[in-house]
C-alpha cells in the first residue's frame, strides 16, 4: 500500500511555483524567437521562403531547423501562437525532464519527415511542432495514467483534438505533411520518454482507511479456531475408568410445573 501523502509544505509550494515559472519562461522564449524572426523579416523585407523546407533538395535541409520560425502570413503566425504557447507550457510543466529531449526530437523528426516525403513546395510554420506536442501530451496520459498525465491528456484533446483531422490532405495551401510528421514524432517521443519523469506518489483517500478499519473490526468479531481456544478442564484417567455422575437436585412435588414454551 502507498504511504499517505502529507499536506503540501511551504517548500513543496515554492518548488511548484518554480516549476510553473520554468514552463512559462521556456514557452515564452520559444514564441519570442518565432515572433522576432517574423517581425525582422517583415521590417527588412526578407523572404521567409529561404528558411522553409524544400523536400529532397540539399539546400532545403536548413529548413529542418529554421522552418518553425518562418510563417507565410500574419494570420498563419497568429493561428500557431496560442496552441504553441499552451502546449509548450504544459509539456515543460508536466514533464520537465522529458521535454528537454521531446521538443528537439519533435522539431528535427518532423522537419526530416517533410524533407523526405512531402510534395515539392516550400513548407514553413510551427504547426508541425504544435501537432507533435499535442500528440505527445495525449499519448503520455494513455501510457502513464497518473492523475496529472490523464488530466493534461483530456484537456489537450478537448481543446485541440481537431488537429487529428489536419493530418489529412484537405486544403491545397496547408502542409498536412508537416502536421502528420509532427504528430508521428510526438507519438514516438511519448513512447521513448514516458518513464523519464518519475511518477508522483499515489494519494491515499479516507475511504481506504475506513475499509482497513472495518476489516480489523471484522477480524475481532470472528470466532477463534478450535485449536486456539484454551483448555479449561482436562479429563483424568480415573474419569475414563469409572466415569463421572453429575447429580441433580430432585424435584420437589410442591414445585409448579415448568412453563410451556410456544
Amino acid at each position: 500500500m502507498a504511504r499517505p501523502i502529507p499536506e503540501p509544505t511551504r517548500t513543496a509550494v515554492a518548488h511548484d511555483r518554480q516549476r510553473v515559472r520554468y514552463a512559462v519562461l521556456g514557452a515564452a522564449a520559444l514564441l519570442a524567437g518565432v515572433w522576432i524572426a517574423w517581425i525582422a523579416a517583415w521590417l527588412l523585407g526578407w523572404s521567409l521562403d529561404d528558411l522553409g523546407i524544400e523536400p529532397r533538395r540539399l539546400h532545403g535541409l536548413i529548413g529542418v531547423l529554421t522552418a518553425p520560425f518562418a510563417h507565410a502570413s500574419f494570420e498563419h503566425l497568429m493561428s500557431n501562437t496560442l496552441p504553441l504557447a499552451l502546449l509548450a507550457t504544459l509539456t515543460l510543466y508536466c514533464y520537465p525532464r522529458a521535454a528537454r529531449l521531446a521538443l528537439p526530437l519533435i522539431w528535427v523528426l518532423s522537419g526530416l519527415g517533410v524533407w523526405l516525403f512531402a510534395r515539392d513546395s516550400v513548407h514553413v510554420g510551427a504547426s508541425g511542432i504544435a501537432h507533435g506536442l499535442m500528440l505527445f501530451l495525449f499519448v503520455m496520459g494513455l501510457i502513464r495514467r497518473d492523475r496529472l498525465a490523464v488530466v493534461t491528456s483530456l484537456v489537450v484533446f478537448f481543446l485541440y483534438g481537431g488537429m487529428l483531422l489536419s493530418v489529412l490532405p484537405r486544403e491545397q495551401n496547408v502542409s498536412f505533411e508537416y502536421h502528420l510528421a509532427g504528430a508521428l514524432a510526438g507519438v514516438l517521443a511519448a513512447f521513448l520518454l514516458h518513464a523519464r519523469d518519475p511518477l508522483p506518489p499515489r494519494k491515499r483517500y479516507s475511504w481506504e482507511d475506513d475499509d482497513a478499519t472495518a476489516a480489523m473490526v471484522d477480524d475481532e468479531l470472528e470466532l477463534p479456531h478450535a485449536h486456539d481456544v484454551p483448555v479449561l478442564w482436562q479429563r483424568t484417567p480415573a474419569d475414563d475408568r469409572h466415569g463421572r455422575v453429575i447429580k441433580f437436585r430432585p424435584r420437589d412435588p410442591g414445585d409448579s410445573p415448568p412453563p410451556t414454551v410456544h
Side-chain angles (χ1 to χ4, degrees):
M1 299 296 293
R3 299 177 58 185
I5 296 179
E7 293 295 327
T9 61
R10 183 176 301 178
T11 304
V13 173
H15 177 72
D16 192 67
R17 289 177 179 173
Q18 183 180 4
R19 191 169 170 175
V20 172
R21 186 162 50 249
Y22 164 77
V24 172
L25 291 178
L30 176 62
L31 288 175
V34 173
W35 274 84
I36 289 174
W38 190 86
I39 292 175
W42 178 67
L43 292 176
L44 300 176
W46 295 343
S47 174
L48 291 178
D49 290 346
D50 296 335
L51 302 179
I53 302 174
E54 296 186 44
R56 295 166 297 278
R57 292 178 180 166
L58 187 59
H59 66 274
L61 275 174
I62 189 64
V64 172
L65 301 178
T66 59
F69 296 103
H71 288 79
S73 63
F74 181 75
E75 291 77 11
H76 186 202
L77 176 63
M78 289 298 298
S79 66
N80 285 334
T81 296
L82 183 58
L84 189 61
L86 180 59
L87 294 171
T89 302
L90 288 175
T91 302
L92 292 170
Y93 174 78
C94 299
Y95 314 108
R97 295 182 181 179
R100 299 173 185 175
L101 297 177
L103 186 57
L105 187 65
I106 294 171
W107 191 305
V108 173
L109 289 184
S110 60
L112 287 177
V114 172
W115 189 82
L116 290 172
F117 304 108
R119 54 191 157 166
D120 290 331
S121 183
V122 179
H123 300 259
V124 296
S127 55
I129 297 177
H131 281 69
L133 294 179
M134 184 270 172
L135 266 297
F136 173 77
L137 293 172
F138 179 70
V139 176
M140 286 287 272
L142 299 179
I143 298 175
R144 291 170 60 93
R145 298 184 182 179
D146 60 275
R147 289 186 302 162
L148 179 60
V150 171
V151 170
T152 305
S153 177
L154 293 176
V155 169
V156 298
F157 187 79
F158 176 76
L159 294 177
Y160 300 112
M163 286 184 175
L164 297 177
L165 298 177
S166 61
V167 301
L168 302 175
R170 302 174 60 192
E171 299 181 26
Q172 183 177 2
N173 295 328
V174 175
S175 178
F176 75 93
E177 299 95 336
Y178 217 158
H179 300 170
L180 179 59
L184 295 177
V187 173
L188 178 62
F191 277 99
L192 293 178
L193 305 172
H194 69 273
R196 192 167 183 83
D197 290 274
L199 290 172
R202 190 179 70 87
K203 182 178 179 179
R204 186 176 181 85
Y205 297 92
S206 59
W207 55 266
E208 294 179 311
D209 297 328
D210 294 341
D211 288 348
T213 304
M216 293 176 62
V217 173
D218 292 340
D219 292 340
E220 292 178 358
L221 297 179
E222 284 288 335
L223 293 177
H225 194 270
H227 296 290
D228 299 330
V229 178
V231 178
L232 301 178
W233 173 74
Q234 185 72 34
R235 292 173 60 90
T236 62
D239 295 334
D240 295 335
R241 290 194 302 269
H242 305 289
R244 173 171 294 186
V245 178
I246 301 176
K247 296 181 179 181
F248 293 93
R249 183 178 63 84
R251 178 180 296 178
D252 189 354
D255 291 343
S256 60
T260 302
V261 179
H262 298 279

